[in-house]
Amino acid sequence: MIYEIRFSLTRARWRVLFLLIALISFSLSGCAANGEKKPTVRVRIRPNHVAAQGPQNRFAESLATPTPWVRTEKPDTTASSKDITERVISEATGQPTPEPTPTLPPIPLGRPERIIIPSIAVDAKVVPVGTDVDRIGNQWFQKWETASYAAGYHEGSALLGETGNTVISGHNNIDGAVFRDLYQVQSGDTVQLYADGFRYDYVVEDQFIVREAGTPLEQRIQNATWIQPTLDERVTLVSCWPPTGNDYRVIVVARPLRQGLAEQQAQHPDQTN
């Protein structure tokens, strides 16, 4: 009985330890070394990503959120005392009554269903993916699954339009290779995501590559901070690199643009949450 208890505790410790490691180690078997050779592209490899200077501090300034529009079943059409006062002043001075400042409806929340990256000709569906538990020798660890012939939305990461980190991964050289050219994305490129008929526009702010295979535990934990929850709103895209292997991870960080979505909401106010 004592042996069984000690074995269970040891196994539990390994589970906790390797849960941290495997946040970014999604299905290495899905990134086989059989991709096509691509023209040489200049890439940035970060050998020592520091978690303390990672995503929660790097992009801490979030975009201003529009004032929520509260919809009521029976809107009050009675003029307020402020409206009456402004009207009286306007009639007395002959000046037109100032138009009220319009407010935008709240951003609807949605699970991504489609992704378009024009700069690298990506147009793929997005499906939810979860985690799996794997065993190597006597060690257990958790890894993210990778969707086949589609990009994979990490279940539990932020929804589109929600504060937090929306994480989407994809293969680079097998099963459709939807993110084959993700390493060619540059700052300023646009990313379009679709959910429930709405388009969410993002602009790339950072793209870099970190080594994953053969690195110490500390480095893999630091790599994993890029797909953890954040205090700001962002989309993080992840794939393997190079095109003929999987020793590295390409990480793309994009931030939201509101104009396109606001125009859609004005055209379809009945679809907002």
Side-chain angles (χ1 to χ4, degrees):
M1 177 63 70
I2 295 176
Y3 173 78
E4 293 178 353
I5 293 174
R6 289 179 178 174
F7 178 78
S8 298
L9 290 174
T10 301
R11 184 173 176 179
R13 292 193 186 99
W14 277 115
R15 284 179 179 272
V16 172
L17 176 62
F18 282 90
L19 278 176
L20 294 174
I21 302 176
L23 286 173
I24 204 169
S25 300
F26 50 86
S27 189
L28 292 181
S29 61
C31 295
N34 62 351
E36 300 178 359
K37 290 186 177 180
K38 287 287 186 179
T40 301
V41 175
R42 186 183 299 274
V43 297
R44 293 188 300 128
I45 299 178
R46 293 188 181 179
N48 296 308
H49 164 59
V50 181
Q53 297 175 356
Q56 292 192 3
N57 293 327
R58 184 174 176 78
F59 300 115
E61 296 181 1
S62 60
L63 295 178
T65 303
T67 303
W69 171 52
V70 180
R71 180 181 299 171
T72 58
E73 296 182 358
K74 296 181 179 180
D76 185 7
T77 58
T78 304
S80 65
S81 58
K82 180 180 178 181
D83 293 335
I84 296 175
T85 302
E86 290 181 349
R87 189 180 308 142
V88 170
I89 294 175
S90 174
E91 293 174 354
T93 61
Q95 298 295 327
T97 304
E99 293 293 333
T101 303
T103 58
L104 295 176
I107 302 299
L109 306 182
R111 176 181 295 176
E113 301 167 348
R114 179 187 178 193
I115 182 171
I116 295 178
I117 309 176
S119 63
I120 56 173
V122 167
D123 187 347
K125 66 179 179 180
V126 180
V127 298
V129 295
T131 58
D132 191 14
V133 177
D134 199 2
R135 179 178 181 179
I136 298 180
N138 295 324
Q139 300 177 356
W140 292 85
F141 66 95
Q142 190 176 32
K143 62 181 181 182
W144 281 101
E145 298 173 338
T146 309
S148 298
Y149 301 94
Y153 161 70
H154 287 202
E155 284 277 28
S157 65
L159 297 174
L160 299 179
E162 181 179 40
T163 299
N165 192 10
T166 304
V167 182
I168 300 176
S169 62
H171 285 301
N172 77 318
N173 53 25
I174 67 169
D175 292 345
V178 294
F179 282 173
R180 179 192 305 273
D181 298 323
L182 189 64
Y183 68 98
Q184 298 189 44
V185 169
Q186 299 179 6
S187 297
D189 288 351
T190 58
V191 177
Q192 300 171 357
L193 289 164
Y194 290 81
D196 299 326
F198 283 98
R199 188 185 78 234
Y200 300 74
D201 295 332
Y202 298 83
V203 61
V204 173
E205 287 202 352
D206 207 357
Q207 182 267 76
F208 54 92
I209 294 174
V210 294
R211 186 174 182 88
E212 180 72 12
T215 59
L217 170 63
E218 293 78 7
Q219 178 65 41
R220 300 182 71 182
I221 292 176
Q222 290 171 1
N223 293 347
T225 62
W226 290 100
I227 62 171
Q228 291 179 354
T230 59
L231 301 177
D232 59 354
E233 184 180 347
R234 71 174 67 187
V235 167
T236 301
L237 310 178
V238 186
S239 188
C240 296
W241 186 84
T244 56
N246 58 18
D247 289 346
Y248 297 81
R249 297 293 181 268
V250 182
I251 299 176
V252 173
V253 179
R255 296 290 300 276
L257 292 172
R258 296 300 191 205
Q259 184 175 0
L261 186 57
E263 292 175 353
Q264 295 176 72
Q265 291 177 311
Q267 297 173 3
H268 308 283
D270 56 322
Q271 296 186 27
T272 57
N273 289 348

